Amino acid sequence: MSSTTRLGPAPREIIARDVLRAGVGGRLPTTVHYQEALRVGSGTVQKALKDLRNEGAMSLVARGHQGTYITELDAALLWSAARLSPVHLLLPPNAPPESMRVATAVAERFAPVGAYTTAGHLRGAEPRLRAIEAHRADIALMSAGAARDLLAAGAGHRTLTLGSGTYYAPGSLVVVTRTPGPGRAPEGTELRIGIDLDSDDHQRLTHAEFPQGTGRHVPTDFTSVPRAVLLGEIDAGIWHTVDSLIPLEAAGLTVTPLTRPDAVELARAISAAVLVATQDNIPGVLLSRTTDEGRGLFAAPQTPPQAVFPGDAPLRLRV
């Protein structure tokens, strides 16, 4: 291999990514910075800048010793020039309908720049967070409760909190028992309550709905609560409702709402969805950035909202 062979992204790709991160009004690194970081000559950097300007991907203004600032950008052209991978979104398992609505809305926000969005499923908010920190995914979805527990201030994360009910829709957290129910153990035995030790949300909800003395806890994957009840492994458990071809009632199960005030209030408090990315992740930057007067990449579509991302340019979720 020749000593002059360059490895890694081309200068135009790196510059395009920096422009996307900085946004309109942001400052670009100096030509010298790119020369040293990429080990290329000044002419190579200047050509990359000129090509991007000539293509209409960006407009720049030099302000003397203050540096070079971005005055206009075309996100679609920059995304193409940056040669970025599809946006990968990590969702909770079992495809709850709320998560699929969020995934659809995220995909719609990136479609205008020609970016595909892929979705994966990974159990546990903490494993999803570790995946984006390891750059195995771009954005992770979690509940407001999980975000509060896992995201330390100043830890290098970028978050976007959705409206109430976007992670746990009203009434979607229910108690599943065998019919007759609710929450009856076989005569002469202690009530066995399913609890997911890998889910902080499920543990807190279970303790709130079934306080101490109600029964004994049995480790159970929260997504498998109906199955565990049906098989007689547990007598009751809290479940996040998902679409099912066969109604649980037809399988001999009883589904009832949360009843204890503490559990009902907790469900409401953690019901918002939170999108999380690392601080320098470009899809995360674009998703969290507001736009001038609601125009641009994340301008609101002209349809009635089902839920709204807060900010100057709200992202509305559609069923």
Side-chain angles (χ1 to χ4, degrees), residues 110-313:
F110 286 106
V113 299
Y116 290 102
T117 301
T118 61
H121 299 273
L122 184 61
R123 183 166 177 254
E126 185 168 7
R128 293 196 293 276
L129 179 63
R130 300 296 166 243
I132 64 168
E133 291 174 340
H135 307 295
R136 296 194 301 271
D138 296 299
I139 302 167
L141 179 67
M142 62 184 66
S143 73
R148 183 180 62 242
D149 291 344
L150 295 174
L151 302 178
H157 300 113
R158 186 183 298 274
T159 63
L160 183 63
T161 302
L162 285 65
S164 178
T166 50
Y167 194 88
Y168 298 119
S172 67
L173 291 168
V174 297
V175 176
V176 179
T177 60
R178 289 184 67 87
T179 304
R184 295 183 182 179
E187 187 175 348
T189 63
E190 187 178 28
L191 185 70
R192 298 165 300 166
I193 305 162
I195 188 168
D196 194 328
L197 300 180
D198 293 323
S199 169
D200 288 343
D201 282 355
H202 197 263
Q203 291 180 63
R204 289 194 299 269
L205 287 162
T206 299
H207 288 301
E209 181 69 14
F210 299 96
Q212 188 173 5
T214 304
R216 66 182 177 89
H217 292 144
V218 177
T220 307
D221 180 345
F222 76 90
T223 65
S224 301
V225 163
R227 177 180 182 275
V229 174
L230 188 62
L231 294 178
E233 298 169 353
I234 59 175
D235 302 306
I238 293 176
W239 184 54
H240 183 194
T241 305
V242 298
D243 295 332
S244 174
L245 293 177
I246 301 175
L248 297 193
E249 292 82 355
L253 300 177
T254 296
V255 178
T256 57
L258 301 176
T259 57
R260 294 188 180 270
D262 288 350
V264 173
E265 173 56 26
L266 177 59
R268 185 202 63 77
I270 65 175
S271 69
V274 180
L275 293 165
V276 185
T278 55
Q279 193 67 30
D280 63 346
N281 176 273
I282 291 175
V285 170
L286 295 180
L287 195 60
S288 64
R289 181 176 294 148
T290 57
T291 55
D292 180 36
E293 298 179 357
R295 293 192 300 269
L297 178 58
F298 296 109
Q302 301 302 311
T303 55
Q306 295 294 332
V308 180
F309 290 73
D312 295 338

